[in-house]
Amino acid sequence: MAFYGNNRRGLLIVISGASGTGKGTVIKALFDKLPNLVFSVSATTRLPRVGEKDGVNYHFMSREEFEREIAADAFLEYADVYGGAYYGTLRREVDKHIAAGKDVLLEIDTQGAINVMDKAPDGVFVFLLPPSKEELRKRLTGRGTEDEQAVAKRLAAADVEFERAKRYTYLVVNDEVNNAVDKIAAIIAAEHCKASRCNDILDEVTKN
Ligand code: ADP
Ligand code: 5GP
């Protein structure tokens, strides 16, 4: 089993939350605040959109290639999204950053996160909550990217996501963006100081 611990190595950080909670907004601000944080580039079998680059937006693969990677257990998690295309997180993509001491952030749904929990139990799992369901509805409507029917569908899906929130290591309420960002940055700092991740530092400091 891959071990995503140790202070010299980076952390695997997984963030989930219902659509409209503010994940994209909070994550963007988190990247501005934490220079050691990198995003994991997923693999997919969908075709690149105009302007998308292989290795930057996604690692684009054929279905055959993706299924070969599944058979080789190359994925931390993967899903057949909307029944049409495969999407997945490659272990090697995550491992290369962690070995280089970078903290790697995955923004994935609760089902994907639960799969990662099984494979990387020392990951840091953060569930972002809206202050209330009413506020979630307001944010989804206010964003203006979904029609009324799509908003209702996402709110129903949110209840399923909330059910799974208990399995996460941390719950963070996104009341104010800056508050949520500060809390996640504090979680990352605390995780780096965990005694179980700091054996190498302790050895170095205490050696004669
Ligand atoms: P997600 O990525 O979780 O679907 P977004 O980041 O797109 O959510 O945010 C949904 C909407 O809510 C956006 O219009 C965004 O500007 C707004 N938003 C995000 N965080 C907050 C916050 N703390 N307070 C008020 N509005 C917010
Ligand atoms: P898009 O095709 O718009 O880039 O993404 C479609 C969906 O695929 C989004 O809901 C996105 O969250 C999901 N997705 C992207 N990468 C991954 C991944 O690595 N794993 C999983 N499980 N879903 C992903």
Side-chain angles (χ1 to χ4, degrees):
M1 184 183 297
F3 183 72
Y4 297 115
N6 186 321
N7 203 38
R8 294 284 164 76
R9 289 159 64 84
L11 299 170
L12 173 65
I13 301 147
V14 176
I15 298 193
S16 308
S19 176
T21 304
K23 297 181 299 296
T25 309
V26 167
I27 287 170
K28 188 174 176 297
L30 200 60
F31 276 114
D32 289 343
K33 191 181 168 95
L34 302 178
N36 199 44
L37 190 64
V38 294
F39 205 74
S40 161
V41 177
S42 297
T44 184
T45 59
R46 81 149 165 74
L47 294 172
R49 296 182 187 131
V50 176
E52 284 186 335
K53 287 199 173 71
D54 186 38
V56 177
N57 304 90
Y58 283 104
H59 298 291
F60 294 101
M61 294 182 178
S62 66
R63 272 192 99 76
E64 294 68 32
E65 232 179 312
F66 200 102
E67 283 169 357
R68 260 202 309 276
E69 298 282 15
I70 295 173
D73 197 25
F75 290 104
L76 263 182
E77 63 79 38
Y78 70 93
D80 202 345
V81 179
Y82 311 126
Y86 281 125
Y87 291 83
T89 309
L90 287 161
R91 288 174 195 274
R92 60 177 175 271
E93 174 74 22
V94 171
D95 288 350
K96 95 178 162 198
H97 291 306
I98 284 180
K102 296 276 183 194
D103 295 328
V104 183
L105 187 104
L106 305 183
E107 185 207 328
I108 49 178
D109 69 356
T110 50
Q111 192 52 60
I114 286 167
N115 293 336
V116 177
M117 285 173 198
D118 292 338
K119 290 186 173 163
D122 52 346
V124 180
F125 297 87
V126 178
F127 191 91
L128 199 65
L129 280 165
S132 64
K133 280 197 194 177
E134 182 49 27
E135 175 63 19
L136 179 63
R137 196 189 57 76
K138 275 192 199 145
R139 286 185 192 171
L140 265 177
T141 315
R143 188 167 66 181
T145 46
E146 281 87 17
D147 62 22
E148 213 174 296
Q149 211 179 354
V151 167
K153 216 166 140 185
R154 278 168 195 243
L155 287 175
D159 286 332
V160 177
E161 303 281 278
F162 294 149
E163 273 296 306
R164 296 178 179 146
K166 293 186 200 82
R167 304 186 57 167
Y168 284 65
T169 333
Y170 297 96
L171 300 183
V172 172
V173 176
N174 177 23
D175 43 9
E176 298 281 334
V177 174
N178 287 341
N179 275 343
V181 169
D182 287 349
K183 280 187 252 180
I184 298 171
I187 288 166
I188 293 173
E191 285 284 339
H192 271 291
C193 295
K194 268 196 172 160
S196 58
R197 296 194 206 274
C198 293
N199 287 335
D200 55 342
I201 308 264
L202 187 62
D203 289 348
E204 205 173 298
V205 171
T206 56
K207 78 173 177 227
N208 290 319

